[in-house]
Amino acid sequence: MAEVQQLRVQEAVDAMVKSVERENIRKMQGLMFRCSANCCEDNQASMQQVHQCIERCHAPLAQAQALVTSELERFQDRLARCTMHCNDKAKDSIDAGNKELQVKRQLDSCVAKCVDDHMHLIPTMTKKMKESLSSIGK
């Protein structure tokens, strides 16, 4: 993928991840740590009970992190498939005897379209992710 296109996607995804972290994950981390601290305050609990309590506190955050990771991987896979299709078309074009400069332009145009199409998916993906995250632990 052209460096400029890759940078565009990376910056958009980074901004989305920062937003999700700031608005959702950070709150969940605070709840998890306060919950875990409360587990440790119980002087009557056994070591195993405290450990289980802490595990229960951590579960929503772990679920949230897995959800974010899964969505990002899915997005990356889709973008990679799209750019792979562009590469295949370029290789076929070269094999058919087309000029390299013409093929390079077609490849750049195809990759730019992949990026544009996937950039449009980011707001919907963000909204879906935030909705899923807000329902975790409730």
Coordinates of all heavy atoms in Angstrom, one line a residue, residues 16 28 37 41 55 57 61-62 67-68 72 75 100 103-104 115 123 128 132:
M16 N -9.4 6.9 16.4 CA -10.5 6.1 16.9 C -10.2 5.3 18.2 O -11.0 5.3 19.1 CB -11.0 5.1 15.8 CG -12.2 4.4 16.1 SD -11.9 2.7 16.8 CE -11.1 2.0 15.4
M28 N -13.6 1.9 32.5 CA -13.7 0.5 32.9 C -12.5 0.1 33.7 O -12.6 -0.6 34.7 CB -13.8 -0.4 31.6 CG -15.1 -0.2 30.9 SD -15.1 -1.2 29.4 CE -15.9 -2.7 30.1
A37 N -9.5 -3.3 44.5 CA -9.1 -2.7 45.8 C -10.1 -3.1 46.9 O -9.7 -3.5 48.0 CB -8.9 -1.2 45.8
E41 N -9.8 -5.4 50.6 CA -10.2 -4.8 51.9 C -10.9 -5.9 52.8 O -11.0 -5.7 54.0 CB -11.2 -3.6 51.7 CG -10.6 -2.5 51.0 CD -9.4 -1.8 51.7 OE1 -9.5 -1.7 53.0 OE2 -8.4 -1.4 51.1
E55 N -10.5 -11.5 39.9 CA -10.7 -12.0 38.5 C -12.1 -11.5 38.0 O -12.2 -11.1 36.9 CB -10.7 -13.5 38.5 CG -9.3 -14.1 38.7 CD -8.4 -13.8 37.5 OE1 -8.9 -13.9 36.3 OE2 -7.2 -13.4 37.7
C57 N -13.6 -8.8 38.9 CA -13.5 -7.4 38.6 C -12.8 -7.1 37.3 O -13.2 -6.2 36.6 CB -12.7 -6.7 39.7 SG -13.4 -6.7 41.4
L61 N -13.3 -5.7 31.7 CA -12.2 -5.0 31.0 C -11.6 -6.0 30.0 O -11.3 -5.6 28.9 CB -11.2 -4.5 32.0 CG -10.0 -3.7 31.4 CD1 -10.5 -2.5 30.6 CD2 -9.0 -3.3 32.4
A62 N -11.3 -7.2 30.4 CA -10.7 -8.2 29.5 C -11.7 -8.4 28.3 O -11.2 -8.5 27.1 CB -10.5 -9.5 30.2
L67 N -12.9 -7.3 22.6 CA -13.8 -6.8 21.6 C -13.1 -5.8 20.7 O -13.2 -5.8 19.4 CB -15.0 -6.1 22.3 CG -16.1 -5.6 21.4 CD1 -17.5 -6.0 21.9 CD2 -16.0 -4.1 21.2
V68 N -12.4 -4.9 21.3 CA -11.7 -3.8 20.5 C -10.6 -4.5 19.6 O -10.6 -4.2 18.4 CB -11.0 -2.8 21.4 CG1 -10.1 -1.9 20.6 CG2 -12.1 -2.0 22.1
L72 N -10.7 -4.4 15.4 CA -9.5 -3.9 14.7 C -8.9 -4.9 13.7 O -8.5 -4.6 12.6 CB -8.5 -3.3 15.7 CG -8.8 -2.1 16.4 CD1 -7.8 -1.7 17.4 CD2 -9.0 -0.9 15.5
F75 N -11.2 -5.2 10.7 CA -11.0 -4.1 9.8 C -9.7 -4.2 9.0 O -9.7 -4.1 7.8 CB -10.9 -2.8 10.7 CG -10.7 -1.6 9.9 CD1 -11.7 -0.9 9.2 CD2 -9.4 -1.0 9.8 CE1 -11.5 0.2 8.4 CE2 -9.2 0.2 9.1 CZ -10.2 0.8 8.4
E100 N 4.3 -0.7 -17.4 CA 4.5 -0.7 -15.9 C 4.0 0.6 -15.3 O 3.3 0.6 -14.3 CB 6.0 -0.8 -15.6 CG 6.3 -1.1 -14.1 CD 7.7 -1.5 -13.8 OE1 8.4 -2.1 -14.7 OE2 8.2 -1.1 -12.7
V103 N 0.2 0.4 -15.1 CA -0.1 -0.6 -14.1 C 0.0 0.1 -12.7 O -0.8 -0.1 -11.8 CB 0.6 -1.9 -14.2 CG1 0.4 -2.8 -13.0 CG2 0.3 -2.6 -15.5
K104 N 1.1 0.8 -12.5 CA 1.4 1.5 -11.3 C 0.3 2.5 -10.9 O -0.2 2.5 -9.8 CB 2.8 2.2 -11.3 CG 3.1 3.0 -10.1 CD 4.2 2.5 -9.3 CE 4.6 3.4 -8.1 NZ 3.6 3.6 -7.1
V115 N -8.7 2.4 0.5 CA -8.5 3.2 1.7 C -9.7 4.1 1.9 O -10.3 4.2 3.0 CB -7.2 4.0 1.6 CG1 -7.2 5.1 2.7 CG2 -6.0 3.1 1.7
P123 N -16.2 5.4 11.2 CA -17.3 5.9 12.1 C -18.3 4.9 12.6 O -18.7 4.8 13.7 CB -17.9 7.1 11.3 CG -16.9 7.5 10.3 CD -16.2 6.2 10.0
K128 N -20.4 1.2 16.7 CA -20.8 -0.1 17.1 C -19.9 -0.6 18.3 O -20.5 -1.2 19.2 CB -20.6 -1.1 15.9 CG -20.9 -2.5 16.1 CD -20.6 -3.4 14.9 CE -20.4 -4.8 15.3 NZ -19.7 -5.6 14.4
S132 N -21.3 -1.5 22.0 CA -20.9 -2.9 22.6 C -20.2 -2.7 24.0 O -20.5 -3.4 24.9 CB -20.1 -3.7 21.7 OG -20.8 -4.0 20.5

